[in-house]
Amino acid sequence: MPKLSPTQLLPIGEVSRRTGVAVSALHYYEQLGLISSQRTSGNQRRFARHMMRRISLIRVAKRLGIPLESVRAALAGLPADRKPTMREWQRISQKWDAELEARKRAIEQLQQELTGCIGCGCLSMSKCRLLNLDDKLGAVGPGARRLDDLSGEADRRTRRRSAPATPAAASR
């Protein structure tokens, strides 16, 4: 394959092959305004070589869980008509540092909460509300409960616990 000059435009298939991104995804990224192409007289897309850096950044962002809207906002500060400078790339990196740190703290908090639940299996502890938001059986007591137990048995137990003691109930 002949070596391409830095100013030569690449067909979409070549960009797909080099970046590992499907052609359909490249179309989508272009539709979102994350990347841009030029059109030939036959209406075929041609990409500047520096667009591959943008595509690589999009892939990394996706792997890190950064939403495409955040990627779009970051890329909006980069020139579309030339290769970005190192300083321009660093500016994007600094914007994402805070977001990634916040995600890291959230994951660490989730890990701490889950550590208390692992091995217990009850999912009814107050800490487990993260995992079992609609826990109705937690009021009945700790331990595993069957889903079909929700239908009425838990309600009856709850009523028995909260009902005032009567002589008839005390003699049982």
Side-chain angles (χ1 to χ4, degrees):
M1 173 177 275
K3 188 166 180 161
L4 299 170
S5 74
T7 58
Q8 188 172 2
L9 299 175
L10 303 172
I12 194 165
E14 181 67 12
V15 172
S16 174
R17 185 184 69 75
R18 288 180 176 210
T19 62
V21 175
V23 169
S24 59
L26 295 173
H27 289 174
Y28 181 63
Y29 297 158
E30 186 175 19
Q31 182 183 7
L32 293 177
L34 300 174
I35 60 175
S36 61
S37 68
Q38 299 173 18
R39 299 295 182 122
T40 66
S41 59
N43 204 30
Q44 295 176 337
R45 287 177 173 86
R46 295 289 189 259
F47 292 89
R49 290 171 56 105
H50 66 83
M51 282 296 146
M52 288 193 294
R53 290 176 190 244
R54 284 177 169 246
I55 295 165
S56 296
L57 180 69
I58 294 166
R59 288 189 68 195
V60 168
K62 281 181 59 179
R63 196 175 84 228
L64 295 174
I66 297 173
L68 288 178
E69 188 55 44
S70 293
V71 175
R72 182 195 340 237
L75 292 176
L78 291 179
D81 60 343
R82 65 171 171 78
K83 176 182 163 187
T85 66
M86 180 65 87
R87 179 165 286 187
E88 290 166 329
W89 282 118
Q90 286 173 341
R91 195 170 51 236
I92 288 176
S93 175
Q94 289 169 351
K95 283 182 183 180
W96 281 347
D97 275 349
E99 184 176 341
L100 293 174
E101 272 301 315
R103 285 173 183 253
K104 185 171 116 181
R105 284 190 301 276
I107 289 170
E108 288 169 350
Q109 177 66 33
L110 177 63
Q111 186 177 20
Q112 288 173 358
E113 290 172 3
L114 287 175
T115 299
C117 294
I118 294 173
C120 171
C122 75
L123 298 181
S124 293
M125 301 182 316
S126 61
K127 283 184 176 180
C128 294
R129 296 204 188 281
L130 174 69
L131 300 172
N132 198 5
L133 296 175
D134 298 323
D135 184 9
K136 293 177 180 156
L137 294 172
V140 178
R145 299 284 189 265
R146 293 176 36 183
L147 290 177
D148 60 355
D149 199 16
L150 270 174
S151 61
E153 181 62 25
D155 292 336
R156 285 191 292 279
R157 286 187 213 154
T158 304
R159 281 195 297 271
R160 270 190 251 140
R161 281 187 170 183
S162 59
T166 61
S171 63
R172 285 191 220 162

